[in-house]
Amino acid sequence: MASLSPSSLPRLSCLKIRPSLHPSIPIVNYDLPPITGLPFGVESTASALSVRLLLMEALDASEPQISNILCKLSPEVIIFDFVYHWIPPLACSLGIKPVLYYIAAAISAMPMKIFTVLHPRKLALTVSERLPVRLVSAITSLKPYEARDLVQNLRKHHNSGMSPCSRMLAVMALSSAIIIKSAMEIEGTYIKFFSSLTGKQVLPCGTLMSMAPRGELEERWQQWLNKFPVGSVIFCSFGSEVCFTNEQIFELIAGLEMSGAPFLAVLNFTASGEHAAKQEIVGERMGGKGMVHAGWVQQQHILRHPSVGVHISHGGLSTMMEGVAGGCQTVLIQQTADQFMNAKLMVKRLKAGVAVKRRSKDGWFTREAVCEALRMVMENDGEKTKKIRANNAKLREFLLNESVQQEYIRTVIGKLQELVLSQSC
């Protein structure tokens, strides 16, 4: 069963998801209940990141609908996201095995060791909202600006009984098993740590790389990219939710221009600074050698274009891996939560990319830092750069190994079948 909110259906229809599913798998939807303060029609953080805590409240209010769906379909296993902290007890009461699907890398769970420090015997299901950033930084080895983001996730909305972090800890403690979007070859040490931290069976399902995109790249971008040599273009994209301040946008574009390389930057603009920033930045730069665009583009097509050689991103796990699979060198300007840890995995553990240097107290980056990171992967012929490129190529080979990825899926299915036969919830 795939359970979706109504706003998800139009986005998924364009992916033609129905033909790819077995006929025995129904798609059902449910209504997101109205919540005070939540704008009408907003049903995902892609629409409004600022209201994510309100969205969590709305999802809590959907429990009766989900309960009715489960009673009607009577599945043996339910696989769910961390927001639904009430699903494990509900599922167990119906004889259904609850399995958490953890979409981030296992390394992103490392900061959670703070809770085992504060509560050595078990993971805390409630945490203080007043933990000082310095303490969090010291225990987790995060920089102050990274720790500040983690502290934000410890805080509850005034109408909500649980913070995002408490939700995550609750579902980890109450799930029968955890499926993680990762692989032992990429972060085996951290997957083992994740299992020991949660006391649960952690099942890596592989990286779940998207299939090669269908259709052709929009002619506008195809013609523009075709003007440049193989591997020379920098593609800069930060997903649908990351919005830099206008000041940081100016530093980013200045850094791209300083590199001297052709670039295509796809940016999001905040409502408050949209008009001024767009007028000054969007459009051709450097006499047509650079391009800044606001809006959606065919990212996978662009990443696989022969002219594109470097991908600058926010470090979202899927986006980061898409860039590597497309044959691009990786440069990261991570923004929040798991992205900080993804960058550590890519830069420090795998040594397959570089991160733009940031100011520790607030995460500020300069145009010089952007240019330095780009030149490291594009122009530098030193031993460090050679090693980064070699490791990037090795990771790409693994990501494109379909037989290995399929084996991970088969293993997860086998483990779920074993779980169904077990007595414990």
Side-chain angles (χ1 to χ4, degrees):
M1 176 195 77
S3 182
L4 307 167
S5 65
S7 69
S8 302
L9 296 177
R11 295 198 303 273
L12 290 174
S13 64
C14 69
L15 299 176
K16 299 181 180 179
I17 190 172
R18 176 71 267 177
S20 66
L21 293 178
H22 192 277
S24 65
I25 301 176
I27 296 178
V28 299
N29 68 293
Y30 59 92
D31 296 318
L32 199 63
I35 295 292
T36 302
L38 183 65
F40 178 77
V42 173
E43 296 187 353
S44 75
T45 53
S47 300
L49 183 59
S50 61
V51 297
R52 64 175 181 167
L53 294 178
L54 289 171
L55 282 169
M56 291 181 185
E57 291 182 38
L59 289 171
D60 288 344
S62 71
E63 180 177 356
Q65 296 179 69
I66 301 297
S67 178
N68 289 335
I69 291 171
L70 292 178
C71 288
K72 180 179 179 180
L73 296 177
S74 190
E76 294 177 302
V77 174
I78 179 170
I79 300 173
F80 63 99
D81 191 11
F82 84 96
V83 174
Y84 302 86
H85 65 94
W86 39 267
I87 276 186
L90 170 62
C92 287
S93 71
L94 298 172
I96 302 167
K97 300 291 195 303
V99 176
L100 170 65
Y101 179 44
Y102 191 78
I103 62 172
I107 191 175
S108 68
M110 289 293 289
M112 293 183 192
K113 66 184 179 183
I114 188 173
F115 306 116
T116 60
V117 172
L118 297 174
H119 301 261
R121 294 185 181 180
K122 62 179 181 178
L123 288 171
L125 295 184
T126 57
V127 293
S128 171
E129 297 181 24
R130 295 182 294 276
L131 284 175
V133 171
R134 276 187 202 172
L135 175 62
V136 175
S137 179
I139 295 176
T140 61
S141 299
L142 293 171
K143 294 179 180 178
Y145 76 91
E146 297 172 332
R148 191 171 293 109
D149 182 82
L150 175 61
V151 170
Q152 290 295 322
N153 284 305
L154 303 180
R155 294 173 179 160
K156 299 177 287 188
H157 189 269
H158 64 281
N159 290 326
S160 176
M162 300 189 78
S163 68
C165 202
S166 291
R167 289 171 185 268
M168 180 65 78
L169 294 171
V171 296
M172 285 181 176
L174 299 174
S175 295
S176 298
I178 301 172
I179 296 175
I180 187 166
K181 185 182 174 182
S182 190
M184 296 299 291
E185 292 86 345
I186 293 177
E187 51 164 357
T189 299
Y190 297 112
I191 290 174
K192 292 175 183 177
F193 165 79
F194 193 19
S195 182
S196 66
L197 179 75
T198 60
K200 301 294 180 179
Q201 183 179 27
V202 175
L203 310 175
C205 64
T207 55
L208 302 180
M209 294 302 301
S210 301
M211 297 177 64
R214 297 179 179 179
E216 300 295 328
L217 176 60
E218 186 181 343
E219 187 176 354
R220 170 192 180 186
W221 300 122
Q222 184 73 37
Q223 290 181 353
W224 187 82
L225 289 170
N226 285 346
K227 296 188 298 184
F228 304 105
V230 172
S232 66
V233 177
I234 302 164
F235 177 53
C236 184
S237 64
F238 297 94
S240 59
E241 299 181 0
V242 173
C243 291
F244 291 114
T245 63
N246 287 348
E247 292 78 11
Q248 287 284 246
I249 289 175
F250 289 128
E251 288 297 307
L252 172 64
I253 299 303
L256 291 168
E257 293 177 340
M258 190 180 292
S259 74
F263 67 86
L264 169 59
V266 180
L267 303 176
N268 302 314
F269 293 86
T270 60
S272 59
E274 184 174 355
H275 181 70
K278 273 190 174 182
Q279 278 201 326
E280 187 169 350
I281 290 179
V282 170
E284 289 190 355
R285 314 281 298 189
M286 301 168 61
K289 193 176 180 182
M291 183 74 73
V292 179
H293 178 71
W296 183 83
V297 296
Q298 296 162 285
Q299 179 165 293
Q300 287 194 50
H301 288 79
I302 292 173
L303 288 170
R304 292 168 184 254
H305 191 284
S307 295
V308 177
V310 177
H311 183 211
I312 305 182
S313 79
H314 56 301
L317 186 60
S318 295
T319 299
M320 195 166 63
M321 295 304 170
E322 280 180 5
V324 175
C328 300
Q329 299 302 311
T330 300
V331 175
L332 302 172
I333 309 179
Q334 61 277 22
Q335 292 299 299
T336 183
D338 60 308
Q339 296 163 15
F340 299 131
M341 302 308 296
N342 291 342
K344 295 181 192 302
L345 175 66
M346 194 69 169
V347 176
K348 296 183 180 295
R349 179 73 176 181
L350 298 175
K351 295 180 171 57
V354 298
V356 172
K357 293 178 181 177
R358 314 279 287 278
R359 193 161 62 193
S360 292
K361 67 177 182 179
D362 57 7
W364 176 266
F365 60 85
T366 65
R367 62 192 67 188
E368 290 82 8
V370 172
C371 182
E372 180 184 354
L374 289 169
R375 287 179 175 170
M376 170 64 75
V377 296
M378 295 189 78
E379 300 176 5
N380 195 318
D381 288 325
E383 288 303 313
K384 182 178 180 180
T385 299
K386 289 179 181 178
K387 187 173 183 179
I388 290 172
R389 289 173 180 162
N391 289 336
N392 186 284
K394 182 179 178 181
L395 177 58
R396 180 173 186 261
E397 182 180 2
F398 172 75
L399 294 174
L400 296 179
N401 190 329
E402 190 173 340
S403 63
V404 172
Q405 303 301 328
Q406 288 299 318
E407 182 58 31
Y408 269 108
I409 296 297
R410 285 191 289 270
T411 299
V412 168
I413 292 172
K415 293 295 184 181
L416 290 178
Q417 290 172 333
E418 292 176 9
L419 180 64
V420 168
L421 296 175
S422 68
Q423 297 300 314
S424 61
C425 184

